[in-house]
């Protein structure tokens, strides 16, 4: 079995494709479906003889009306009107059996509940009265969220037991029957893998005459936990620990049967398969059906994929010998039939009926030894019965029923495959396919998968023996030589009798059309422009034929900053949006053309492209001329800028400072630039000058700012020179003190004068007389403006000047 990732890579190679057109086949034959009303939202069908007349009847679980509908068989494949019996809420699964030993068939109904809402499910037992009616439902104690059920004598006491799977945990509840419609307390078995138990089957898988159980586990949270688990029975209602079945990694719906005729039970499982984790490309989902061939010892071969239905959400499976060849076949809802080869291989054939359903069950409803089908139809609240009408002898040959090829081109080659089926029940010899080509088709090739083909207009393919069930193919290639709608004719015959001739012929219809040849061209009034210019765009769309082009659409895309005006078109109409023009031109006959013109105003410098594409509903052989473009280079307008080396200058009173200016050009500017400067701020102000007084782009000029006229502000005031006086006075005062000390005996009066002089000296020094009081003014800020003028262009730059 493939891993999840490989499944999705492989399935892309298995999806049938035939030039994009649908292909169907006729499978085993079925009559038109007959619908029978039941309760609301039917979801499951069980088959059993509920009234003891030996004819299979129907029980239908109605999830929307909380009941089960019983439809009794009249014996000819038709059914009486439904009788409804109440079950638990929203029944979803049914099982049948004689649980109370009265030889009358009873019903078990499973109502799953909803774990996300905490709503518990129920298991209901409806004991049969033997006439198609049932007693009131009795509840059976099981797990809180039952999802699946199977019936069997698990402990060999000749009394039917139940085994129930849980949807919130990977557990099984075994309820051993007492034989009177009651059951012993449930014994819980944990499978140890996580997830929910979506389906259960009971059979002897290791040939020890003790019933075994296989459970399908589905884990949406951790998909790696999903798969099939087998529990070998001990014969007393207990089981050995669960083991994985081969390489199974998906749960789903289980079916047991001998599909390879080796008398050992096999398993078929149908699972929903989502994209692998982290998938970003080719993330396809669907449902896959696998066959696990039993070895007879409780183990299985690796899974063989039987089918993959892309985008399907899953369903159930029915088995039966639908084509009367004594080999088990499979039916997958809504309408896929796989005929078994008896060796584990299957051939897919389409379901030849309009009957479709969500759940299917198979049984012989009209006693013709052919299994018929009963399908739920939730849309119509009905069960649909489809009777099998397949031949029971001879070789039933069938041809695929191809779809129509639409709008193929005259002059081109078309390849198609014819599939021939032998649906049995006998092998076919001398199988011959005859393919007759119409006028307008010329044979290029015919390649059969077996045998040989000959002929040109009428091609005969001798395919020899075609075993049942099997298929062969013939791949044809034809050249289309004329326009029109043509159909082939094909017939299949063999030497064996074919009791169903309605699927032995087929026909394919092909419409060939003359191709159109659309082209688009564009021209711009200028491809080099300046910001602000207006550019006229001229577009021409033409059809060179030979066919007429219908529903012609022209799309025109360009940058959003282009302003469109003055738009006109010679045929059709246009709508505009930022960066886009869409024109619906309509029909263009051969050699016809349409012109479109408009004006764009360019608003920014750069290089921009106008891209056009034309298309129509008419096929074309040549499409390389359906696209074109034009590029316009937009330059900035002629101008210049000025850039100072520094925008902030500092100088001292009486000094000067310089700054260098450059003058980059924009566009094609090359004129002479006149320069001036000015100073603003508190008086007195520095002076400025710029040299040279005029420049051309690419040269420099020097700005000089002079503060010589600010030096007068630094002249000290007269009182500010007192410091020198104090400097001289201090030694004199000290000298007075010495003299006063030396002559104290005779000069008492002068002593006081000397001390006074010393005190004056000290006082003046203490008051700051010994330091200068001269202080300059605070820093002054000025603005220096340099103005550059050339014709209509005028730019200026301002520099901040600080004078200390």
């Amino acid at each position: 079995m493939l891993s999840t990732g490989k499944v999705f890579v492989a399935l892309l190679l298995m999806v049938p494709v035939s030039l994009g057109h649908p292909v169907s086949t006729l499978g085993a034959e079925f009559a038109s479906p007959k619908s029978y009303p039941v309760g609301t939202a039917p979801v499951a069908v069980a088959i059993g003889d509920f009234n003891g007349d030996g004819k299979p009847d129907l029980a239908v679980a109605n999830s929307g009306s909380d009941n089960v509908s019983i439809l009794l068989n009249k014996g000819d494949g038709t059914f009486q009107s439904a009788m409804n019996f109440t079950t638990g809420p929203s029944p979803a699964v049914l099982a049948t059996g004689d649980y109370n030993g009265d030889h009358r068939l009873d019903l078990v109904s499973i109502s799953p509940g909803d774990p996300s809402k905490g709503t518990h499910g129920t298991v209901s037992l409806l004991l049969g009265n033997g006439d198609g009616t049932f007693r009131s439902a009795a509840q059976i104690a099981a797990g809180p969220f039952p999802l699946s059920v199977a019936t069997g004598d698990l402990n060999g006491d000749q009394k039917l037991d139940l085994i129930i799977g849980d949807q919130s945990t990977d557990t099984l509840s075994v309820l051993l029957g007492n034989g009177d419609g009651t059951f012993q307390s449930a014994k819980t078995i944990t499978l140890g893998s996580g997830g929910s138990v979506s389906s259960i089957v009971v059979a002897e898988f290791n040939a020890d005459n003790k019933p075994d159980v296989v459970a399908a586990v589905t884990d949406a949270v951790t998909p790696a936990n999903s798969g099939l688990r087998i529990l070998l029975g001990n014969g007393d209602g207990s089981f050995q620990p669960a083991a994985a079945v081969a390489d199974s990694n998906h749960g789903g719906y289980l079916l047991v049967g001998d599909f390879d005729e080796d008398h050992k039970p096999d398993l078929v499982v149908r699972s929903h398969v989502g994209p692998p984790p982290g998938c970003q490309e080719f993330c396809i989902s669907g449902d896959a059906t696998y066959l696990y061939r039993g070895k007879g010892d409780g183990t299985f071969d690796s899974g063989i994929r039987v089918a993959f239905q892309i985008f399907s959400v899953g369903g159930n499976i029915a088995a039966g010998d639908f084509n009367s060849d004594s080999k088990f076949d499979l039916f997958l809802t809504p309408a896929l039939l796989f005929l078994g080869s008896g060796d584990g291989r299957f051939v897919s054939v389409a379901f030849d009926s309009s009957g479709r359903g969500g759940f299917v069950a198979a049984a012989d409803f009209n006693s013709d030894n052919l299994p018929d089908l009963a399908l739920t139809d939730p849309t119509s609240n009905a069960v649909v019965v489809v009777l099998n009408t397949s031949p029971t002898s001879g070789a039933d040959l069938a041809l695929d029923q191809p779809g129509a090829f639409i709008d193929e081109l005259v002059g081109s080659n078309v390849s198609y495959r014819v599939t021939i089926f032998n649906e049995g029940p006998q092998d076919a010899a001398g199988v011959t396919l005859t393919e007759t080509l119409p006028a307008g088709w010329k044979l290029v090739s015919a390649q059969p998968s077996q045998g040989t083909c000959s002929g040109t207009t009428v091609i005969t393919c001798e395919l020899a023996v075609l075993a049942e069930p099997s298929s062969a193919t013939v791949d044809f290639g034809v050249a289309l030589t004329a326009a029109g709608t043509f159909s082939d004719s094909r017939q299949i015959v063999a030497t064996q009798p074919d009791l169903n001739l309605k699927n032995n012929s087929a026909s394919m219809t092909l419409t060939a059309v003359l191709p159109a040849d659309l082209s688009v061209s564009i021209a711009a009034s200028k491809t080099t422009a300046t910001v602000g210019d207006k550019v006229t765009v001229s577009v021409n769309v033409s059809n060179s034929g030979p066919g007429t082009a219908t529903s012609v659409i022209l799309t025109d895309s360009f940058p959003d900053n282009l302003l469109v005006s003055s738009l006109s078109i010679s045929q059709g109409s246009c709508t505009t949006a930022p960066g886009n023009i869409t024109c619906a031109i309509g029909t263009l006959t051969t050699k016809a053309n349409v012109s479109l013109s408009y004006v764009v105003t360019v608003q920014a410098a750069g290089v921009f492209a106008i891209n056009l594409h034309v298309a129509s509903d008419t096929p074309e052989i040549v499409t390389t001329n359906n696209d074109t473009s034009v590029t316009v280079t937009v330059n900035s307008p002629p101008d210049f800028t000025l850039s100072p080396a520094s925008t902030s200058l500092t100088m001292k009173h009486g000094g000067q400072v310089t700054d260098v200016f450059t003058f980059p050009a924009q566009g094609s500017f090359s004129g002479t630039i006149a320069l001036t400067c000015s100073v603003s701020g508190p008086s007195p102000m520095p002076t400025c000058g710029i040299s040279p007084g005029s420049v051309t782009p690419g040269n420099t000029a020097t700005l000089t700012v002079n503060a010589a006229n600010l030096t007068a502000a630094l002249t000290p005031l007269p009182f500010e020179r007192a410091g020198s006086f104090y400097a001289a006075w201090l030694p004199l005062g000290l000298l007075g003190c010495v003299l006063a000390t030396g002559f104290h005996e005779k000069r008492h009066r002068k002593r006081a004068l000397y001390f006074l002089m010393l005190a004056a000296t000290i006082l003046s020094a203490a008051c700051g007389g010994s330091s200068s009081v001269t202080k300059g003014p605070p820093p002054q800020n000025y603005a220096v403006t340099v103005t550059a003028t050339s014709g209509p262009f005028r730019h200026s730059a301002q520099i901040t000047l600080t004078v200390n």
Side-chain angles (χ1 to χ4, degrees):
M1 183 173 178
L2 296 174
S3 67
T4 303
K6 292 180 179 178
V7 165
F8 285 89
V9 174
L11 77 89
L12 294 176
L13 304 177
M14 298 187 64
V15 178
V17 176
S18 180
L19 296 177
H21 304 290
V23 175
S24 63
T25 64
L26 291 176
E29 313 309 317
F30 289 84
S32 298
K34 182 174 177 58
S35 182
Y36 296 89
V38 292
T40 304
V43 294
V45 177
I47 296 175
D49 181 9
F50 299 118
N51 61 351
D53 63 355
K55 303 167 187 175
D57 308 311
L58 299 177
V60 182
N62 305 305
S63 64
S65 52
D66 303 339
N67 58 16
V68 59
S69 295
I70 303 298
L71 294 88
L72 299 179
N73 190 348
K74 297 179 181 179
D76 58 357
T78 63
F79 292 81
Q80 299 178 27
S81 298
M83 299 180 290
N84 297 323
F85 300 90
T86 301
T87 64
S90 301
V93 180
L94 296 175
T96 62
D98 180 10
Y99 299 106
N100 61 349
D102 63 355
H103 306 293
R104 300 168 182 174
L105 208 56
D106 310 313
L107 274 176
V108 170
S109 169
I110 300 291
S111 299
D114 188 344
S116 65
K117 299 178 180 179
T119 305
H120 287 190
T122 57
V123 179
S124 302
L125 173 64
L126 290 81
L127 295 176
N129 295 318
D131 58 358
T133 64
F134 291 84
R135 304 176 202 175
S136 297
Q139 301 302 309
I140 300 175
F145 302 107
L147 181 62
S148 52
V149 62
T151 295
D153 181 7
L154 304 178
N155 58 353
D157 63 355
Q158 309 301 313
K159 301 170 185 176
L160 286 182
D161 310 310
L162 292 175
I163 185 164
I164 297 171
D166 192 82
Q167 66 169 314
S168 62
T169 59
D170 61 332
T171 59
L172 299 175
S173 297
V174 177
L175 291 85
L176 298 179
N178 296 317
D180 58 358
T182 64
F183 296 85
Q184 299 177 29
S185 298
K187 300 177 182 178
T188 300
I189 300 174
T190 301
L191 300 178
S193 56
S196 63
V197 181
S198 53
S199 184
I200 308 170
V201 293
V202 176
E204 284 187 37
F205 292 104
N206 61 350
D208 64 353
N209 294 319
K210 300 172 184 177
D212 310 309
V213 169
V214 173
V217 176
T218 302
D219 191 338
V221 177
T222 309
N225 291 338
S226 299
L228 307 183
R229 307 289 182 262
I230 184 168
L231 297 90
L232 298 178
N234 296 318
D236 58 358
S238 65
F239 296 87
Q240 298 178 32
V245 170
D247 55 357
S248 63
N249 57 10
H250 295 97
Y253 185 88
L254 272 173
L255 187 70
V256 63
D258 182 11
F259 297 102
D260 57 0
E261 297 184 342
D262 63 353
H263 308 291
K264 301 169 185 176
D266 310 312
L267 292 171
V268 176
V269 60
R270 183 178 183 183
S271 310
H272 176 69
V273 182
C279 178
Q280 296 181 349
E281 295 185 44
F282 305 112
C283 301
I284 300 174
S285 63
D287 72 76
T289 300
Y290 286 90
L291 169 67
Y292 293 89
R293 298 170 64 177
K295 298 179 181 181
D297 58 358
T299 64
F300 297 82
D301 291 335
S302 296
I304 302 170
R305 186 165 65 186
V306 175
F308 186 94
Q309 297 189 71
I310 191 170
F311 301 132
S312 173
V313 296
N316 78 312
I317 317 167
D321 180 12
F322 295 108
N323 63 343
S324 194
D325 64 352
S326 301
K327 302 168 186 175
F328 263 128
D329 310 312
L330 296 175
F331 186 91
L332 278 63
T333 56
L336 282 180
L337 182 59
F338 291 84
L339 300 181
S341 300
D343 57 2
R345 295 180 297 114
F346 294 86
V347 175
S348 173
V349 295
F351 178 43
D352 181 24
S353 173
S354 59
R356 301 289 189 272
F359 188 98
V360 62
D364 181 8
F365 296 132
N366 58 355
S367 301
D368 63 355
N369 297 317
L370 288 172
D372 309 305
L373 298 173
L375 304 106
T376 58
D377 181 4
T379 303
S380 302
N381 295 323
V383 62
V384 175
V385 175
V386 186
L387 298 180
N388 191 342
T389 59
S390 298
T392 57
S393 64
D396 184 8
L397 297 179
L399 287 172
D400 63 330
Q401 299 296 321
F405 286 68
I406 301 173
D407 291 347
E408 299 297 330
L409 295 178
V410 173
S412 64
N413 290 347
V414 172
S415 299
Y416 60 94
R417 169 171 289 183
V418 176
T419 303
I420 306 97
F421 296 91
N422 179 11
E423 299 168 3
Q426 296 176 347
D427 296 345
V431 178
T432 302
L433 170 71
T434 303
E435 168 77 341
T436 303
L437 301 183
W441 296 13
K442 180 181 178 181
L443 181 67
V444 174
S445 62
Q447 182 62 51
S449 61
Q450 65 184 59
T452 60
C453 294
S454 61
T456 54
T457 301
V458 177
I459 302 99
T460 301
C461 297
E462 302 290 347
L463 305 179
V465 176
L466 202 58
E468 82 77 30
S470 65
S471 64
T473 61
V474 181
D475 292 323
F476 290 96
V478 297
L480 306 184
T481 60
T485 299
F486 304 94
S487 299
D488 70 341
S489 174
R490 61 190 68 157
Q491 185 78 23
I492 187 72
V493 296
T495 57
Q496 274 71 27
D498 191 335
L499 302 182
N500 176 36
L501 296 177
K502 68 178 182 179
N503 54 7
N504 287 45
S505 60
S507 180
M508 178 181 69
T509 299
L510 187 152
T511 300
V513 297
L514 292 172
D517 185 9
L518 292 174
S519 62
V520 58
S521 62
I522 186 173
S525 60
K526 58 177 72 176
T527 56
T528 302
T530 302
V531 173
D533 285 355
K534 294 183 181 297
V535 179
T536 300
V537 178
S538 301
V539 179
N540 185 72
V541 177
S542 62
N543 177 21
S544 300
T548 296
T550 58
S551 301
V552 179
I553 299 293
L554 173 68
T555 54
D556 187 345
S557 59
F558 43 79
D560 292 351
N561 59 7
L562 296 184
L563 296 180
V564 175
S565 61
S566 304
L567 186 147
S568 65
I569 189 168
S570 61
Q571 175 181 316
S573 60
C574 300
T575 58
T576 62
N580 181 267
I581 299 172
T582 302
C583 299
I585 294 175
T587 299
L588 271 185
T589 58
T590 303
K591 306 302 181 183
N593 63 82
V594 172
S595 60
L596 167 71
S597 67
Y598 57 90
V599 175
V600 293
T601 302
V602 292
Q603 297 180 291
V607 178
F608 66 87
I610 300 175
N611 302 297
L612 294 106
H613 174 74
V614 65
S616 76
D617 290 345
T618 305
E620 299 181 66
I621 296 177
V622 178
T623 58
T624 56
N625 53 2
N626 288 37
D627 297 90
T628 190
S629 64
V630 66
T631 300
V632 179
T633 301
V634 181
N635 298 315
S636 299
D639 200 349
F640 68 91
T641 60
L642 69 162
S643 301
S646 176
T647 58
S648 178
L649 300 175
T650 302
M651 61 184 297
K652 294 183 178 181
H653 286 71
Q656 72 176 22
V657 70
T658 61
D659 200 359
V660 178
F661 279 76
T662 57
F663 304 88
Q666 293 181 346
S668 58
F669 180 81
S670 61
T672 300
I673 304 168
L675 305 173
T676 61
C677 69
S678 62
V679 181
S680 61
S683 297
M685 292 182 292
T687 61
C688 71
I690 190 164
S691 178
S694 64
V695 294
T696 56
N699 294 306
T700 63
T702 301
L703 169 70
T704 302
V705 181
N706 195 313
N709 60 334
L710 301 185
T711 56
L714 296 176
T715 303
L717 298 176
F719 70 88
E720 294 174 338
R721 301 185 182 274
S724 59
F725 168 77
Y726 295 130
W729 181 267
L730 179 59
L732 290 176
L734 295 174
L735 179 60
C737 291
V738 174
L739 292 175
T741 303
F743 301 98
H744 60 85
E745 294 178 355
K746 295 182 179 181
R747 298 180 180 179
H748 294 284
R749 293 183 178 179
K750 294 182 179 180
R751 184 179 301 169
L753 176 60
Y754 297 147
F755 280 107
L756 180 61
M757 293 171 60
L758 179 60
T761 300
I762 295 173
L763 181 61
S764 64
C767 293
S770 63
S771 61
S772 173
V773 297
T774 301
K775 293 183 179 178
Q780 299 292 322
N781 293 322
Y782 300 89
V784 181
T785 302
V786 176
T787 302
T789 305
S790 180
F793 305 110
R794 182 183 180 91
H795 302 287
S796 61
Q798 193 173 79
I799 298 170
T800 300
L801 174 67
T802 301
V803 179
N804 294 319

